[in-house]
Amino acid sequence: MSTTTLKRNDVQQRSHGFGYKSVKMLLTQRIALLGLLIVVVLAVMMSLDAAGAMSGSYDADYLAAALISAVPLAMLGLAELMVILSGRGGIDLSVGAIVSLCCIVFGYSYGIWDLGLFPSIVITAVAGAVCGAINGFLVAYIGFPPLIATLATFYAFKSLALIISGQKPISTIQIQDFFSAAQSVEIPVIGYNLPNIPLGIFTFLIPTALLAWILLNRTTFGRRLYALGTNDVAARWAGVDTRANRMMAYVLSGLISGLVAIVIVAQFASARPDAGVSGNGLALPAITIAVLGGVAITGGIGRVSGILLATLLVVWLNAGILLAFAGNEGTQLQLLALGLLLIGASLLNNLTRKKFGVLY
Amino acid sequence: MRTTEKSRPQVTAGIPVAKKILPSLVTGQEVVLIGIIAVLWILLGLLTPAFLTAGSILPLLVAVAPIALIGVGMTLIIITAGIDVSVGAAIMVTSVVTSQTMVATGIPLIPAVLLSVAVGALLGLVNGYLVAYGKIHAIIITFGTANLFQFIGLRFFGSSTVNGLPDTFDVFGRGEAGRTFGIPHSFAITVIVVALAWWYLRHAASGRHLFAVGGNETAARLAGIKVKPLILRTYVITGALVGLAACFLIGQGTSTLEQSVGAGRELAVIAAVVIGGTSILGGRGTVLGTLLGAILVQTVTSGVTQMGWPSQLSDFFVGVAIIAAVGTDILRERSRRKS
C-alpha cells in the first residue's frame, strides 16, 4: 500500500507538462479519447479518399448517409448502458431477440391489424418493456445472474418471434410505405448547405439519448442506478430499493429495444422475425459499443455521451472500410476492426486504472 | 484413516471436524437432471414410438458430443469465474483450417485431428493469455476475440464454402462408420473426456485449485496458488476441445463445410453448462452436470421435431429449461443457506 501512495505523491510532485496532462486527459476521459479517434479516422479516410484509394467519395454526404446504421446501434448501446450500470454482472444478451419479437408485434399492429401509427408504436414499446420486465424480475427479484436470465430469454423471445410470424416477414402495403420514415431529410431553415440526415436520428435516436441523459443525470432514479451499480450493499443501507431500481434498468432496456424494432422495420420496409438475431445478432455489437464507450462492465460507471461517440467512431470507421476495401474483404475487415477496438479499449481501461486510479 | 487422526476431534474441543473432504459423487442438480431426462425420454417414448429406438437415440448422442465436449472446457473456465463466448468463432476457424488442409493434401485421420486440436489450442492460448495476464473481464476479451476469430475464419473461407471434403472424419459421424458395437465413437470419446475431467476436478490438486480461484481469487493467490497459469490452462484446454469438437462437426456434416458451422454454438454450450448446475459466478460446477445438460437440450430439440412441432419451438423450451434448471438451483442454494 505504502508504495502506491509514494508513487502517486511522486507523480503529483513532478511538474506536469502539457504533454503529461493531455495524455492523462485522453486516458481518463473516455470522451476525449473517442473524440480524438473519430478525428483520426476521418482524417485518415479523407486523405485516402483524396489519394484516390477509395471506391467512392468519403465526404459529408456519405458520412451523413452512414448515420442510418448508427440509430439502432446507439439506441441498443444505451439499452446496454442502463443494464450494465446496474451492476452485479448486469448485461442483456436478449436485446436482439426482443427486437425480433417487437418487429413482429409492430408488423401485426401496424401492418395487419392497421391500428394506426401512434397506437402501434405504443403497443410495440410496451411489448418491449414487458420483455424487459421478465428479465428484470428474474434478475432483481429471483436472483438469476443477468447473463443466464437474458441468455434464457434470448432463446425464448427469438423462438416466439419465429413461431408467431410463421417464419415469414410481414411486408404489407402499410409496412412498405413506412419506409419513408427511414429516409434522409433536409434540416429545415439551415439545411440547404448541410447534407441530408436520416430521419431516424431526429425521431428516435436524439429523443432516446436525451431522455436517457435526463433519466441518468437529472432524476433520483439515475442517481440510485449509479449508486446500486457502484455498491449494491451500500445502496441498500442508504435506503435504495435496489430490486425495483435494478428491475427498472431492464425494463428500460426492453423498452428501447422495442423502439429499435420500429426503426429496423422502417429501414427494411419489412417486419422480419429474425431482424435482431440473424448473423451475430444485435446484442454483441451493442455490448461492444457500450464497452468502447467507457462503460465499466462491473457497473456504476458509464455515460450517454460515451455511447454516442463510440457509435459514431464505429459507424464512420466501418463506412470507410467499406469504401477502402471492395466486397467481402470490407465486411471481414470490419470484424477485425471491431475486435481490435474492443480489446484495445479494455486494455486501455486497465492501464488507466493502474496509472491514474480512476476512469470517467 | 491413519491412527494419528483419531485424536483430532478431541484436540479441536467440541468443534466437529468435517469428515467429508471430497464433495459427494453426484450433486443434487445432477440427480434432478437425470430425473428430468428419464421422464422426458419415457414421455417421448410413449408419445412417439420411434423415439426410444437406436435410430433415434444414437443420432441424439452424436449431436450431444460436440456441445458436451466443448462444455467440459467451458465448465473449467466458468468454475474459475470466467467465460468464453468465442468458441463459436473458434469452431469456424479450426474447422475451416482442418477441412481445407484435408481437401488440399488429403492428410489421414490422426494428423488431421492433431492439426485441428493444435489450432484450437492456439486460439485458446490467445484468449487465456489476454484474460489471465491482461486482467480484463473474460466476457469482454472473448467478445473481442470472437470478432477476430470470425475475421480469420472468413479469410480462410474466402467468399464461399469448402467443397469436396474427404470421408476422413466419418469415424465421428452419424453413419455406420462412426460406430463400434453400436456405440458412436464421438459420444464414447466425449464420455472418456468427461470422466477424465471429472477425476481432474475431484482428485487432482490443480483441479481443486480451480474451485479456489473461482470462489475467491485473492484468497487463492494468497494461499499460494499460481492463479494466472491456471486460468491460462483452462482456456487452452477449451481451445483444444474446440478443435476436437470441430472434427466431430465436420464428420457429422455433409461433404460441404458452411461458413455458419459455429454460429450460435457458444450459447448452446453455455446453456448446457449452466443447466448442468455450474454457477456462472464461479467456484461451483461439475462436468457430469454439463454432459447431462447437453443431453437435456438435445432431447428437447429432437423431441420437438419428433412431435411434429415447428423446430423453432425447441429454442423456446431451451430457454424455459435454463430458467427452470438455474431457478431450482438458486432456490435450493437459498434454502441451504437458511438452514
Side-chain angles (χ1 to χ4, degrees):
Chain A
M1 284 298 126
S2 62
T3 50
T4 47
T5 28
L6 257 181
K7 229 189 256 166
R8 225 166 256 165
N9 287 340
D10 203 26
V11 167
Q12 276 161 7
Q13 276 157 18
R14 215 184 297 153
S15 62
H16 299 320
F18 175 72
Y20 176 85
K21 270 185 190 156
S22 48
V23 166
K24 181 174 177 180
M25 192 180 86
L26 279 180
L27 286 180
T28 53
Q29 305 275 346
R30 180 44 59 89
I31 314 277
L33 180 69
L34 286 171
L36 179 74
L37 281 175
I38 291 175
V39 171
V40 169
V41 164
L42 290 181
V44 169
M45 295 293 174
M46 281 179 175
S47 54
L48 278 177
D49 188 17
M54 299 284 214
S55 57
S57 57
Y58 192 78
D59 54 12
D61 281 325
Y62 182 67
L63 290 179
L67 285 180
I68 192 156
S69 52
V71 180
L73 204 54
M75 285 174 70
L76 290 178
L78 290 172
E80 294 292 346
L81 169 69
M82 300 283 175
V83 167
I84 298 176
L85 270 185
S86 75
R88 269 215 195 150
I91 201 157
D92 194 343
L93 297 179
S94 70
V95 286
I98 297 180
V99 168
S100 293
L101 190 53
C102 289
C103 273
I104 296 306
V105 170
F106 185 74
Y108 266 95
S109 49
Y110 185 64
I112 293 181
W113 297 329
D114 213 359
L115 299 176
L117 184 57
F118 186 69
S120 302
I121 290 178
V122 172
I123 289 172
T124 310
V126 169
V130 169
C131 291
I134 296 173
N135 285 333
F137 179 76
L138 288 173
V139 170
Y141 285 90
I142 312 278
F144 275 78
L147 190 74
I148 307 288
T150 56
L151 173 68
T153 53
F154 162 80
Y155 275 114
F157 297 154
K158 172 181 141 191
S159 162
L160 278 182
L162 287 165
I163 295 292
I164 293 173
S165 65
Q167 296 171 63
K168 279 193 270 309
I170 301 170
S171 45
T172 56
I173 190 77
Q174 291 93 329
I175 296 284
Q176 284 172 22
D177 287 346
F178 190 53
F179 184 62
S180 60
Q183 277 175 346
S184 290
V185 290
E186 202 181 274
I187 306 168
V189 188
I190 53 163
Y192 39 81
N193 289 324
L194 294 169
N196 293 349
I197 309 273
L199 189 60
I201 296 278
F202 303 108
T203 49
F204 282 94
L205 181 55
I206 290 178
T208 308
L210 210 59
L211 279 178
W213 185 84
I214 291 172
L215 258 182
L216 289 179
N217 297 293
R218 291 289 180 269
T219 66
T220 44
F221 163 73
R223 302 327 291 171
R224 284 178 184 145
L225 197 61
Y226 279 104
L228 72 95
T230 311
N231 189 331
D232 194 75
V233 178
R236 200 160 49 231
W237 283 95
V240 175
D241 184 347
T242 53
R243 294 199 287 190
N245 283 290
R246 179 166 284 123
M247 176 161 165
M248 199 51 179
Y250 287 85
V251 173
L252 286 171
S253 166
L255 178 78
I256 296 175
S257 307
L259 295 174
V260 169
I262 300 166
V263 174
I264 286 182
V265 169
Q267 268 176 30
F268 292 104
S270 155
R272 284 164 43 216
D274 63 343
V277 293
S278 60
N280 283 323
L282 290 174
L284 213 155
I287 295 166
T288 307
I289 289 291
V291 171
L292 194 57
V295 182
I297 201 80
T298 43
I301 301 170
R303 297 203 288 189
V304 172
S305 49
I307 303 285
L308 297 180
L309 286 177
T311 312
L312 281 184
L313 175 64
V314 168
V315 165
W316 283 342
L317 179 63
N318 278 347
I321 290 175
L322 270 192
L323 281 189
F325 301 91
N328 265 323
E329 208 181 356
T331 34
Q332 290 169 9
L333 279 167
Q334 288 181 342
L335 288 171
L336 179 70
L338 198 62
L340 288 179
L341 266 179
L342 185 58
I343 296 175
S346 41
L347 283 172
L348 208 61
N349 279 0
N350 229 12
L351 185 77
T352 308
R353 237 193 334 268
K354 228 181 263 171
K355 194 118 181 127
F356 304 107
V358 278
L359 185 72
Y360 301 103
Chain B
M1 279 276 163
R2 269 164 276 153
T3 44
T4 45
E5 288 190 3
K6 270 188 181 170
S7 58
R8 243 192 214 169
Q10 290 154 3
V11 176
T12 50
I15 302 163
V17 172
K19 280 187 192 135
K20 220 174 64 178
I21 296 170
L22 286 171
S24 59
L25 285 170
V26 181
T27 62
Q29 184 77 4
E30 288 157 8
V31 175
V32 172
L33 282 176
I34 291 171
I36 294 174
I37 292 171
V39 169
L40 276 179
W41 280 28
I42 291 168
L43 265 180
L44 284 168
L46 290 176
L47 290 168
T48 53
F51 183 78
L52 281 180
T53 58
S56 169
I57 295 293
L58 291 182
L60 190 152
L61 295 181
V62 172
V64 162
I67 299 297
L69 198 58
I70 302 172
V72 169
M74 188 72 84
T75 310
L76 302 186
I77 290 178
I78 294 183
I79 284 174
T80 66
I83 196 158
D84 186 350
V85 292
S86 73
V87 289
I91 289 175
M92 183 175 158
V93 175
T94 50
S95 57
V96 73
V97 169
T98 311
S99 39
Q100 278 185 341
T101 313
M102 284 197 303
V103 170
T105 65
I107 51 171
L109 177 68
I110 303 288
V113 171
L114 288 179
L115 171 71
S116 190
V117 168
V119 172
L122 189 67
L123 299 179
L125 190 69
V126 173
N127 276 333
Y129 189 79
L130 285 171
V131 171
Y133 294 90
K135 281 190 179 168
I136 302 161
H137 198 289
I139 194 165
I140 295 186
I141 282 298
T142 53
F143 264 137
T145 53
N147 279 313
L148 295 187
F149 295 168
Q150 247 172 11
F151 166 72
I152 297 169
L154 287 173
R155 264 297 145 106
F156 276 106
F157 265 109
S159 58
S160 63
T161 53
V162 181
N163 299 315
L165 284 172
D167 54 6
T168 319
F169 285 146
D170 275 6
V171 284
F172 301 133
R174 295 171 211 278
E176 201 55 51
R179 295 178 209 154
T180 305
F181 305 124
I183 300 166
H185 297 142
S186 52
F187 188 71
I189 292 171
T190 304
V191 169
I192 292 169
V193 171
V194 168
L196 285 174
W198 183 83
W199 179 86
Y200 173 73
L201 282 177
R202 210 176 130 85
H203 295 282
S206 64
R208 303 307 301 164
H209 289 167
L210 292 180
F211 290 96
V213 170
N216 187 333
E217 192 177 322
T218 312
R221 197 181 63 240
L222 294 176
I225 296 173
K226 288 193 171 65
V227 174
K228 286 175 186 176
L230 201 61
I231 289 179
L232 176 64
R233 187 190 299 168
T234 60
Y235 286 89
V236 175
I237 291 173
T238 305
L241 292 174
V242 165
L244 187 53
C247 298
F248 291 3
L249 287 168
I250 296 171
Q252 289 171 23
T254 58
S255 64
T256 303
L257 187 74
E258 304 279 344
Q259 293 187 344
S260 63
V261 58
R265 302 257 183 203
E266 65 277 4
L267 296 182
V269 170
I270 295 170
V273 173
V274 297
I275 288 175
T278 298
S279 164
I280 203 88
L281 307 174
R284 198 159 57 85
T286 70
V287 283
L288 181 58
T290 300
L291 177 63
L292 292 170
I295 292 177
L296 178 61
V297 168
Q298 197 55 45
T299 302
V300 168
T301 309
S302 58
V304 165
T305 331
Q306 300 232 346
M307 295 294 290
W309 293 337
S311 61
Q312 286 75 22
L313 202 56
S314 63
D315 275 349
F316 182 78
F317 288 121
V318 171
V320 173
I322 297 173
I323 302 270
V326 180
T328 51
D329 200 40
I330 289 171
L331 294 180
R332 228 187 5 237
E333 184 73 8
R334 204 175 279 172
S335 67
R336 202 181 309 158
R337 221 175 285 152
K338 262 182 199 153
S339 63

